[in-house]
Amino acid sequence: YDKFINIKDEDKIYFHIYFNNNKEEIKRSYLNKEDNVTKINIIIDYQVISLESLFSICDCIESIYFKQFKRNNIIDMSSMFYFCSSLKEINFSNFNTINVRNMSNMFSCCSLLKEINLSNFNTNKVIDMNNMFSQCDSLEILNLSNFNTNNVTNMSAMFYFSSSLKEINLSNFNTSNVTNMSNMFTCCSSLKEINISNFNTDKVIDMNNMFSQCSSLEKLNLSNFNNNNVTDMSAM
């Protein structure tokens, strides 16, 4: 079926699906395989400032391409692609994140994504990145060297259970305002090395399970870590 989806901010229900064979309108916040969707066009009402859970649990989607996304008033993208378990490709070349503050759970449980090109992301205003890449089981390489994390306070479970992750570039991370790093790398079982020599942990309170079950980890330099304010290092 051809379907048109209009997104409006009404009680966080974004999806209004119209079938072209005069079937009754279906109104819900997810798509599944039974809908037989092959291609959708999305028009976003300009008054919408949050894309929270926009594609959440859309487990039939394999590819997403943002043909035009010039909007600069979006502040929330939390759980935007959460549990898109069939998603293999996302094209962010026209994506605008300049005013986004919340990216928590943004790609969580995208279990078939092998790579994500985030070179176009502007994260200058982001405060929350908790669980951003958690349970991305197929993700092997992640380059976040362009990320500005100056304002981020929460990185808990950011890479949690990304078990295929072999390489991660965090060289540009500024963690001077982060208070929570709990479970940050938990079960990253394919990582042999994590270069966090630039991490500032002066404000961190919680480090519990931070490197738990990183079974392939061979080298870890924590010589610059300041744990003066940390209250929880259990199972670190």
Side-chain angles (χ1 to χ4, degrees):
Y1 301 114
D2 290 327
K3 295 179 176 65
F4 174 80
I5 294 182
N6 185 29
I7 299 173
K8 296 182 179 177
D9 198 4
E10 298 173 359
D11 298 322
K12 294 184 179 178
I13 297 177
Y14 300 100
F15 285 80
H16 298 251
I17 304 177
Y18 298 90
F19 292 78
N20 66 350
N21 57 356
N22 298 317
K23 284 188 178 179
E24 184 180 353
E25 174 188 352
I26 295 176
K27 182 178 180 180
R28 60 175 184 263
S29 58
Y30 62 91
L31 294 172
N32 55 44
K33 291 181 174 66
E34 286 71 31
D35 292 322
N36 295 315
V37 173
T38 56
K39 189 174 183 180
I40 60 174
N41 293 312
I42 296 179
I43 297 175
I44 303 173
D45 189 307
Y46 193 79
Q47 293 182 4
V48 173
I49 61 172
S50 172
L51 298 182
E52 177 192 358
S53 301
L54 176 60
F55 298 103
S56 181
I57 320 180
C58 293
D59 63 357
C60 61
I61 296 179
E62 294 187 3
S63 178
I64 299 174
Y65 172 47
F66 293 93
K67 189 174 183 180
Q68 293 183 10
F69 195 87
K70 308 295 183 183
R71 297 276 301 284
N72 59 13
N73 63 329
I74 304 298
I75 62 172
D76 191 348
M77 290 183 174
S78 61
S79 299
M80 188 172 176
F81 307 100
Y82 173 73
F83 225 104
C84 288
S85 56
S86 296
L87 189 61
K88 297 178 181 179
E89 182 183 8
I90 314 178
N91 188 321
F92 288 119
S93 57
N94 295 304
F95 206 61
N96 187 346
T97 62
I98 193 169
N99 282 308
V100 177
R101 298 173 191 171
N102 191 345
M103 289 185 174
S104 63
N105 287 285
M106 190 171 180
F107 302 101
S108 182
C109 297
C110 289
S111 55
L112 290 185
L113 270 181
K114 290 188 175 180
E115 61 179 326
I116 314 173
N117 186 344
L118 304 175
S119 58
N120 199 43
F121 267 39
N122 183 327
T123 61
N124 291 359
K125 295 186 179 180
V126 178
I127 297 171
D128 195 346
M129 288 185 174
N130 91 77
N131 281 281
M132 188 173 177
F133 304 100
S134 68
Q135 299 184 71
C136 289
D137 299 341
S138 299
L139 195 62
E140 295 184 359
I141 298 175
L142 194 56
N143 187 347
L144 305 180
S145 58
N146 63 305
F147 268 35
N148 180 341
T149 60
N150 291 356
N151 291 307
V152 178
T153 61
N154 191 351
M155 289 185 176
S156 64
M158 189 171 177
F159 309 103
Y160 174 81
F161 237 107
S162 290
S163 56
S164 295
L165 195 60
K166 295 178 180 178
E167 184 178 331
I168 184 169
N169 189 334
L170 307 175
S171 59
N172 203 40
F173 265 39
N174 180 346
T175 61
S176 59
N177 284 308
V178 177
T179 59
N180 193 344
M181 290 184 176
S182 64
N183 293 286
M184 189 172 178
F185 301 100
T186 299
C187 292
C188 287
S189 54
S190 295
L191 273 179
K192 292 185 176 180
E193 183 177 359
I194 310 171
N195 187 346
I196 48 177
S197 58
N198 58 312
F199 271 33
N200 179 334
T201 62
D202 290 353
K203 294 184 180 179
V204 178
I205 298 170
D206 194 347
M207 288 183 178
N208 89 77
N209 284 282
M210 188 172 175
F211 307 101
S212 175
Q213 299 183 65
C214 289
S215 54
S216 297
L217 197 61
E218 297 175 353
K219 185 186 299 185
L220 191 62
N221 186 347
L222 305 179
S223 59
N224 65 316
F225 265 39
N226 178 356
N227 60 0
N228 290 346
N229 291 310
V230 179
T231 59
D232 190 352
M233 282 185 170
S234 58
M236 186 174 173

